[in-house]
Amino acid sequence: MFYAILAYHVEQTVQSWTPEEDAALMVDLLEVNDRLTRAGKLGPAARLGETAKAVTLRGPGDGMVIDGPFAETKEQLLGLYVLDCADQDEAIATARDLKRVNPSAIYEIRPIMLYLPGSPLAAGDG
């Protein structure tokens, strides 16, 4: 089964990191990503751009483009991973690996169904 792991963080905190702090975290996260890739578990993963440059499409018909995501939360969605896991327990274990190297982040684990797969990740038996 496919799972999305959505990575949330306080954007101002992330933006306050020095380039060296950010690079060190990315090295640690890429070690987790490399392990998942070797195991054939990791599909698309993305670090999203800053929310100040985001727009939202809302409303009926063609909709209206408005500035930014307007979530009433302290944390913002800053990235995501798509994984092929046997079950939710495996997805949670993977999120725990990510949290070990980025302990101040929050990870939401959600099952997903790919209806237009854009990645060579093949669904496993799970």
Side-chain angles (χ1 to χ4, degrees):
M1 171 165 250
F2 290 107
Y3 287 87
I5 297 179
L6 308 172
Y8 292 85
H9 210 297
V10 177
E11 191 170 28
Q12 290 174 325
T13 300
V14 173
Q15 291 172 343
S16 73
W17 295 338
T18 66
E20 295 78 17
E21 290 170 323
D22 188 71
L25 173 61
M26 291 309 296
V27 165
D28 292 341
L29 287 172
L30 288 173
E31 286 178 12
V32 175
N33 292 0
D34 289 344
R35 181 177 48 78
L36 293 168
T37 298
R38 286 191 305 274
K41 298 287 185 181
L42 183 63
R47 187 175 190 181
L48 301 177
E50 61 186 275
T51 57
K53 293 184 179 176
V55 296
T56 301
L57 180 65
R58 293 182 184 264
D62 285 342
M64 176 176 37
V65 176
I66 57 175
D67 291 339
F70 291 102
E72 296 294 324
T73 64
K74 184 176 177 184
E75 298 87 12
Q76 291 79 36
L77 176 62
L78 299 183
L80 61 98
Y81 301 84
V82 174
L83 295 151
D84 184 11
C85 297
D87 54 30
Q88 186 180 49
D89 290 339
E90 183 181 359
I92 291 169
T94 300
R96 285 187 171 133
D97 284 344
L98 295 166
K99 187 146 184 73
R100 274 190 270 289
V101 299
N102 192 4
S104 57
I106 296 166
Y107 293 96
E108 176 182 344
I109 299 100
R110 200 183 285 189
I112 59 172
M113 296 177 62
L114 297 179
Y115 60 95
L116 292 174
S119 171
L121 179 67
D125 295 331

Coordinates of all heavy atoms in Angstrom, one line a residue, residues 19-85:
P19 N 22.9 28.1 6.4 CA 23.1 27.2 5.3 C 23.8 25.9 5.8 O 23.5 24.8 5.3 CB 23.9 27.9 4.3 CG 23.6 29.4 4.5 CD 23.4 29.5 6.0
E20 N 24.7 26.0 6.7 CA 25.4 24.8 7.3 C 24.5 23.9 8.1 O 24.5 22.7 7.9 CB 26.6 25.3 8.1 CG 27.7 26.0 7.4 CD 27.4 27.5 7.1 OE1 26.5 28.0 7.7 OE2 28.1 28.0 6.2
E21 N 23.6 24.5 8.9 CA 22.6 23.7 9.7 C 21.7 23.0 8.7 O 21.3 21.8 8.9 CB 21.8 24.6 10.6 CG 22.7 25.2 11.8 CD 22.0 26.2 12.6 OE1 21.2 27.1 12.0 OE2 22.1 26.2 13.8
D22 N 21.2 23.7 7.7 CA 20.3 23.1 6.8 C 20.9 22.0 6.0 O 20.3 20.9 5.8 CB 19.7 24.2 5.8 CG 18.6 23.7 4.9 OD1 17.5 23.5 5.4 OD2 18.9 23.5 3.7
A23 N 22.2 22.2 5.5 CA 22.9 21.2 4.8 C 23.1 20.0 5.7 O 23.0 18.8 5.2 CB 24.2 21.8 4.3
A24 N 23.5 20.2 6.9 CA 23.7 19.0 7.8 C 22.4 18.2 8.0 O 22.5 17.0 8.0 CB 24.2 19.5 9.2
L25 N 21.3 18.9 8.1 CA 20.0 18.1 8.2 C 19.7 17.4 7.0 O 19.3 16.2 7.0 CB 18.9 19.1 8.6 CG 17.5 18.5 8.5 CD1 17.3 17.4 9.6 CD2 16.4 19.5 8.7
M26 N 20.0 18.0 5.8 CA 19.7 17.4 4.5 C 20.6 16.1 4.4 O 20.1 15.1 3.8 CB 19.9 18.3 3.4 CG 18.8 19.4 3.3 SD 17.1 18.8 3.4 CE 17.0 17.8 1.9
V27 N 21.8 16.2 4.8 CA 22.7 15.0 4.8 C 22.0 13.8 5.5 O 22.0 12.7 5.1 CB 24.1 15.3 5.3 CG1 24.9 14.0 5.6 CG2 24.9 16.2 4.3
D28 N 21.5 14.1 6.7 CA 20.9 13.1 7.6 C 19.6 12.6 6.9 O 19.4 11.4 6.9 CB 20.6 13.6 9.0 CG 21.9 13.9 9.8 OD1 22.9 13.4 9.4 OD2 21.8 14.7 10.8
L29 N 18.8 13.5 6.4 CA 17.6 13.0 5.7 C 17.9 12.2 4.5 O 17.2 11.2 4.2 CB 16.7 14.3 5.4 CG 16.0 14.9 6.6 CD1 15.4 16.2 6.1 CD2 15.0 14.0 7.2
L30 N 18.9 12.6 3.7 CA 19.2 11.9 2.5 C 19.8 10.5 2.8 O 19.6 9.5 2.0 CB 20.2 12.7 1.7 CG 19.6 13.9 1.0 CD1 20.7 14.7 0.3 CD2 18.5 13.5 0.0
E31 N 20.3 10.3 4.0 CA 20.7 8.9 4.4 C 19.5 8.0 4.5 O 19.5 6.9 4.1 CB 21.5 8.9 5.7 CG 22.9 9.5 5.5 CD 23.7 9.5 6.8 OE1 23.2 9.0 7.9 OE2 24.8 10.1 6.9
V32 N 18.4 8.6 5.2 CA 17.2 7.8 5.3 C 16.6 7.6 3.9 O 16.2 6.5 3.5 CB 16.2 8.6 6.2 CG1 14.8 7.9 6.2 CG2 16.7 8.8 7.6
N33 N 16.6 8.6 3.0 CA 16.1 8.5 1.7 C 16.8 7.4 0.9 O 16.2 6.6 0.2 CB 16.1 9.8 0.9 CG 15.2 10.9 1.5 OD1 14.5 10.7 2.4 ND2 15.3 12.1 0.9
D34 N 18.2 7.4 1.0 CA 19.0 6.5 0.3 C 18.6 5.0 0.7 O 18.5 4.1 -0.1 CB 20.5 6.7 0.5 CG 20.9 8.0 -0.3 OD1 20.2 8.5 -1.2 OD2 22.0 8.5 0.0
R35 N 18.5 4.8 2.0 CA 18.1 3.5 2.5 C 16.8 3.1 2.0 O 16.6 1.9 1.5 CB 18.1 3.5 4.0 CG 17.8 2.2 4.6 CD 17.8 2.1 6.2 NE 17.1 3.2 6.8 CZ 15.8 3.3 7.0 NH1 15.0 2.4 6.5 NH2 15.3 4.3 7.6
L36 N 15.8 4.0 2.0 CA 14.5 3.7 1.4 C 14.5 3.4 -0.1 O 13.8 2.5 -0.6 CB 13.5 4.8 1.7 CG 13.2 5.0 3.2 CD1 12.5 6.3 3.4 CD2 12.4 3.8 3.8
T37 N 15.3 4.1 -0.8 CA 15.5 3.9 -2.2 C 16.1 2.6 -2.5 O 15.6 1.8 -3.4 CB 16.3 5.0 -2.9 OG1 15.7 6.3 -2.7 CG2 16.5 4.8 -4.4
R38 N 17.1 2.2 -1.8 CA 17.8 0.9 -2.0 C 16.8 -0.2 -1.7 O 16.8 -1.3 -2.3 CB 19.0 0.7 -1.1 CG 20.2 1.5 -1.6 CD 21.5 1.2 -0.8 NE 21.4 1.3 0.6 CZ 21.6 2.4 1.3 NH1 21.9 3.5 0.7 NH2 21.4 2.4 2.6
A39 N 15.9 0.0 -0.7 CA 14.9 -1.0 -0.4 C 13.7 -1.0 -1.4 O 12.8 -1.9 -1.3 CB 14.4 -0.8 1.0
G40 N 13.7 -0.1 -2.3 CA 12.6 0.0 -3.3 C 11.3 0.5 -2.7 O 10.2 0.3 -3.2
K41 N 11.4 1.3 -1.6 CA 10.2 1.8 -0.9 C 9.9 3.2 -1.2 O 8.7 3.6 -1.0 CB 10.4 1.7 0.6 CG 10.6 0.3 1.2 CD 9.4 -0.5 1.1 CE 9.5 -1.8 1.8 NZ 8.2 -2.6 1.7
L42 N 10.9 4.0 -1.6 CA 10.7 5.4 -1.8 C 10.2 5.8 -3.2 O 10.9 5.5 -4.2 CB 11.9 6.2 -1.4 CG 11.8 7.7 -1.4 CD1 10.8 8.2 -0.4 CD2 13.2 8.4 -1.2
G43 N 9.1 6.5 -3.3 CA 8.6 7.1 -4.5 C 9.0 8.6 -4.6 O 10.1 8.9 -4.0
P44 N 8.2 9.4 -5.1 CA 8.5 10.8 -5.2 C 8.6 11.4 -3.8 O 7.9 11.1 -2.8 CB 7.3 11.4 -5.9 CG 6.6 10.3 -6.5 CD 6.9 9.1 -5.7
A45 N 9.6 12.3 -3.6 CA 9.8 13.1 -2.4 C 10.1 14.5 -2.8 O 10.7 14.7 -3.8 CB 10.9 12.5 -1.6
A46 N 9.6 15.5 -2.0 CA 9.8 16.9 -2.4 C 9.9 17.8 -1.2 O 9.2 17.5 -0.2 CB 8.6 17.3 -3.3
R47 N 10.8 18.7 -1.3 CA 10.9 19.8 -0.3 C 10.2 21.0 -1.0 O 10.6 21.4 -2.1 CB 12.3 20.1 0.0 CG 12.4 21.1 1.1 CD 13.9 21.3 1.4 NE 14.0 22.1 2.7 CZ 15.2 22.4 3.2 NH1 16.3 22.0 2.6 NH2 15.2 23.1 4.3
L48 N 9.1 21.4 -0.4 CA 8.3 22.5 -1.0 C 8.9 23.8 -0.8 O 9.6 24.1 0.2 CB 6.9 22.4 -0.4 CG 6.1 21.1 -0.5 CD1 4.8 21.2 0.2 CD2 5.9 20.8 -2.0
G49 N 8.6 24.7 -1.8 CA 9.1 26.1 -1.6 C 8.4 26.8 -0.5 O 7.4 26.3 0.0
E50 N 8.8 28.0 -0.2 CA 8.2 28.8 0.9 C 6.8 29.1 0.6 O 6.3 29.4 -0.5 CB 9.0 30.0 1.1 CG 9.1 31.0 0.0 CD 10.0 32.2 0.3 OE1 9.6 33.1 0.9 OE2 11.2 32.1 -0.2
T51 N 6.0 29.1 1.7 CA 4.6 29.4 1.6 C 4.3 30.8 1.1 O 3.2 31.0 0.5 CB 3.8 29.1 2.9 OG1 4.4 29.9 3.9 CG2 3.9 27.7 3.3
A52 N 5.2 31.7 1.3 CA 4.9 33.1 0.9 C 4.9 33.2 -0.6 O 4.3 34.2 -1.2 CB 6.1 34.0 1.4
K53 N 5.4 32.2 -1.3 CA 5.4 32.2 -2.8 C 4.3 31.3 -3.4 O 4.2 31.1 -4.6 CB 6.7 31.8 -3.4 CG 7.8 32.9 -3.1 CD 9.1 32.5 -3.7 CE 10.1 33.6 -3.4 NZ 11.5 33.2 -3.9
A54 N 3.5 30.7 -2.5 CA 2.4 29.8 -2.9 C 1.1 30.6 -3.2 O 0.9 31.7 -2.8 CB 2.1 28.8 -1.8
V55 N 0.3 30.0 -4.0 CA -1.0 30.5 -4.3 C -2.0 29.4 -4.1 O -1.6 28.2 -4.2 CB -1.1 31.1 -5.7 CG1 -0.2 32.3 -5.9 CG2 -0.9 30.1 -6.8
T56 N -3.3 29.7 -3.9 CA -4.3 28.8 -3.7 C -5.4 29.1 -4.7 O -5.8 30.2 -5.0 CB -4.9 28.9 -2.3 OG1 -3.8 28.6 -1.4 CG2 -6.0 27.8 -2.1
L57 N -6.0 28.0 -5.3 CA -7.1 28.2 -6.3 C -8.3 27.8 -5.5 O -8.5 26.6 -5.0 CB -6.9 27.3 -7.5 CG -8.0 27.3 -8.6 CD1 -8.0 28.7 -9.2 CD2 -7.7 26.2 -9.6
R58 N -9.3 28.7 -5.4 CA -10.5 28.4 -4.6 C -11.7 28.9 -5.4 O -11.6 29.8 -6.3 CB -10.5 29.2 -3.3 CG -9.5 28.7 -2.3 CD -9.6 29.6 -1.0 NE -8.6 29.2 -0.1 CZ -8.8 28.4 0.9 NH1 -9.9 27.8 1.1 NH2 -7.8 28.1 1.7
G59 N -12.9 28.4 -5.1 CA -14.2 28.9 -5.6 C -14.7 28.1 -6.7 O -14.1 27.2 -7.3
P60 N -15.9 28.5 -7.1 CA -16.6 27.7 -8.2 C -16.1 28.1 -9.6 O -15.3 29.0 -9.7 CB -18.1 28.2 -8.0 CG -18.0 29.6 -7.4 CD -16.7 29.5 -6.5
G61 N -16.5 27.3 -10.5 CA -16.1 27.5 -11.9 C -14.6 27.4 -12.1 O -14.0 26.5 -11.6
D62 N -14.0 28.4 -12.7 CA -12.6 28.4 -12.9 C -11.8 28.7 -11.7 O -10.6 28.6 -11.6 CB -12.2 29.4 -14.0 CG -12.5 28.9 -15.4 OD1 -12.7 27.7 -15.6 OD2 -12.5 29.8 -16.3
G63 N -12.5 29.2 -10.7 CA -11.9 29.5 -9.4 C -11.2 30.8 -9.5 O -11.1 31.5 -10.5
M64 N -10.7 31.2 -8.3 CA -9.9 32.5 -8.2 C -8.6 32.2 -7.5 O -8.6 31.4 -6.6 CB -10.7 33.5 -7.3 CG -10.0 34.8 -7.1 SD -10.9 36.1 -6.2 CE -11.8 35.2 -5.0
V65 N -7.5 32.7 -8.1 CA -6.2 32.5 -7.5 C -6.0 33.5 -6.5 O -6.1 34.7 -6.7 CB -5.1 32.6 -8.6 CG1 -3.7 32.4 -8.0 CG2 -5.3 31.5 -9.7
I66 N -5.7 33.1 -5.2 CA -5.4 34.0 -4.1 C -4.0 33.7 -3.6 O -3.5 32.6 -3.8 CB -6.4 33.9 -3.0 CG1 -6.6 32.5 -2.5 CG2 -7.8 34.5 -3.6 CD1 -7.6 32.4 -1.3
D67 N -3.4 34.6 -2.9 CA -2.1 34.4 -2.3 C -2.1 33.4 -1.2 O -3.0 33.3 -0.4 CB -1.5 35.7 -1.7 CG -1.2 36.8 -2.8 OD1 -1.0 36.4 -3.9 OD2 -1.2 37.9 -2.4
G68 N -1.1 32.5 -1.3 CA -0.7 31.6 -0.2 C -1.7 30.6 0.3 O -2.9 30.7 -0.1
P69 N -1.2 29.7 1.0 CA -2.1 28.7 1.7 C -2.5 29.4 3.0 O -1.7 30.0 3.7 CB -1.2 27.5 2.0 CG 0.2 28.1 2.0 CD 0.2 29.3 1.2
F70 N -3.8 29.4 3.4 CA -4.2 30.0 4.6 C -4.7 29.0 5.6 O -5.9 28.9 5.9 CB -5.3 31.0 4.2 CG -4.8 32.2 3.5 CD1 -5.0 32.3 2.1 CD2 -4.1 33.2 4.1 CE1 -4.6 33.4 1.4 CE2 -3.6 34.3 3.4 CZ -3.9 34.4 2.0
A71 N -3.8 28.3 6.1 CA -4.1 27.3 7.2 C -3.9 28.0 8.5 O -3.0 28.8 8.7 CB -3.1 26.1 7.1
E72 N -4.8 27.8 9.4 CA -4.8 28.4 10.7 C -4.0 27.5 11.7 O -4.5 27.0 12.7 CB -6.2 28.5 11.3 CG -7.1 29.5 10.5 CD -6.5 30.9 10.6 OE1 -6.0 31.3 11.6 OE2 -6.6 31.6 9.5
T73 N -2.7 27.3 11.3 CA -1.9 26.4 12.1 C -0.5 27.1 12.3 O -0.1 28.0 11.5 CB -1.6 25.0 11.4 OG1 -0.9 25.3 10.2 CG2 -2.9 24.3 11.2
K74 N 0.2 26.7 13.3 CA 1.5 27.2 13.5 C 2.5 26.6 12.5 O 3.4 27.2 12.0 CB 2.0 26.8 14.9 CG 3.3 27.4 15.4 CD 3.5 27.1 16.8 CE 4.9 27.6 17.3 NZ 5.2 27.2 18.6
E75 N 2.3 25.3 12.2 CA 3.2 24.6 11.3 C 2.7 24.7 9.8 O 1.5 24.7 9.6 CB 3.4 23.1 11.7 CG 3.9 22.9 13.0 CD 2.9 22.9 14.1 OE1 1.7 22.9 13.8 OE2 3.3 23.0 15.3
Q76 N 3.6 24.6 8.9 CA 3.2 24.6 7.5 C 3.7 23.3 6.9 O 4.7 22.7 7.3 CB 3.9 25.8 6.7 CG 3.3 27.1 7.1 CD 3.9 27.7 8.4 OE1 5.0 27.5 8.7 NE2 3.0 28.4 9.1
L77 N 3.0 22.8 5.8 CA 3.5 21.7 5.1 C 4.7 22.1 4.3 O 4.6 23.0 3.4 CB 2.4 21.2 4.2 CG 2.7 20.0 3.3 CD1 3.1 18.8 4.1 CD2 1.6 19.7 2.3
L78 N 5.8 21.5 4.6 CA 7.1 21.9 3.9 C 7.7 20.8 3.0 O 8.6 21.0 2.3 CB 8.1 22.3 4.9 CG 7.7 23.5 5.8 CD1 8.9 23.9 6.7 CD2 7.4 24.7 4.9
G79 N 7.1 19.6 3.1 CA 7.6 18.5 2.2 C 6.8 17.3 2.3 O 5.9 17.2 3.2
L80 N 7.1 16.3 1.4 CA 6.3 15.1 1.5 C 7.1 13.9 0.9 O 8.1 14.2 0.1 CB 5.0 15.2 0.7 CG 5.1 15.6 -0.8 CD1 5.0 14.3 -1.6 CD2 4.1 16.6 -1.2
Y81 N 6.8 12.8 1.3 CA 7.4 11.5 0.8 C 6.2 10.6 0.4 O 5.2 10.6 1.0 CB 8.2 10.8 1.9 CG 9.3 11.6 2.5 CD1 9.0 12.5 3.5 CD2 10.6 11.4 2.0 CE1 10.1 13.3 4.1 CE2 11.6 12.2 2.6 CZ 11.4 13.1 3.6 OH 12.4 13.8 4.1
V82 N 6.4 9.8 -0.7 CA 5.5 8.8 -1.1 C 6.2 7.5 -0.9 O 7.3 7.3 -1.5 CB 5.0 9.0 -2.5 CG1 4.1 7.8 -2.9 CG2 4.2 10.3 -2.6
L83 N 5.7 6.6 -0.2 CA 6.3 5.3 0.1 C 5.4 4.1 -0.2 O 4.2 4.3 0.0 CB 6.7 5.2 1.6 CG 7.7 6.3 2.1 CD1 7.5 6.6 3.5 CD2 9.1 5.7 1.9
D84 N 6.0 3.0 -0.5 CA 5.3 1.8 -0.7 C 5.6 0.9 0.5 O 6.7 0.4 0.7 CB 5.7 1.1 -2.0 CG 4.9 -0.2 -2.2 OD1 3.9 -0.4 -1.6 OD2 5.3 -0.9 -3.1
C85 N 4.7 0.8 1.5 CA 4.9 0.1 2.7 C 3.9 -1.1 2.8 O 2.8 -1.0 2.3 CB 4.6 1.0 3.9 SG 5.8 2.4 4.0

